[in-house]
Amino acid sequence: MLCLSATVCKAQDDIPLPACPKTPEIDLSPMSFVIGDANGDGDVNDGDVTTLGNYIVGKELPAFDEDGADVNLDGIVSIADATILIDYLIIRALQLSRSLYPPTTTPLPGG
């Protein structure tokens, strides 16, 4: 099927078909923010969790990056974003811990 416009489509044998569904435009330009960086300092860490929590409860903030705070990219900054950010930071900490202190096969004393 060949879509000639949003209203006219033709099959391979040039038979007119009903209107094609409109293809959404996708912005492929680089992001100018870091997802999870709620305080705009360029890093994602516990300070962003604090900033995000303070924003959610309505506190006045010296710095807040709404784009960076919208972790799930749904257009709304909410507790869901804070939850995802906390989960991400916990997973990142666990990965770092495992890389620094890999599990051992040495039995525990008395075992």
Side-chain angles (χ1 to χ4, degrees):
M1 177 168 48
L2 173 66
C3 289
L4 303 174
S5 72
T7 56
V8 179
C9 293
K10 292 191 175 188
Q12 290 177 350
D13 55 3
D14 284 342
I15 298 172
L17 299 172
C20 296
K22 185 175 181 181
T23 304
E25 291 185 26
I26 300 172
D27 181 9
L28 298 177
S29 59
M31 289 189 215
S32 60
F33 60 92
V34 177
I35 295 173
D37 183 20
N39 61 12
D41 68 355
D43 194 17
V44 178
N45 54 36
D46 58 337
D48 298 299
V49 174
T50 302
T51 298
L52 190 49
N54 286 337
Y55 173 83
I56 290 168
V57 298
K59 289 190 177 178
E60 194 69 30
L61 302 170
F64 183 71
D65 183 345
E66 192 166 345
D67 290 328
D70 183 16
V71 179
N72 62 6
L73 303 175
D74 67 352
I76 302 166
V77 176
S78 68
I79 193 69
D81 299 298
T83 302
I84 294 167
L85 182 56
I86 291 167
D87 288 349
Y88 165 76
L89 291 172
I90 290 171
I91 290 168
R92 192 170 78 174
L94 288 172
Q95 289 172 338
L96 176 62
S97 173
R98 288 184 185 141
S99 70
L100 294 174
Y101 307 103
T104 64
T105 56
T106 307
L108 295 173

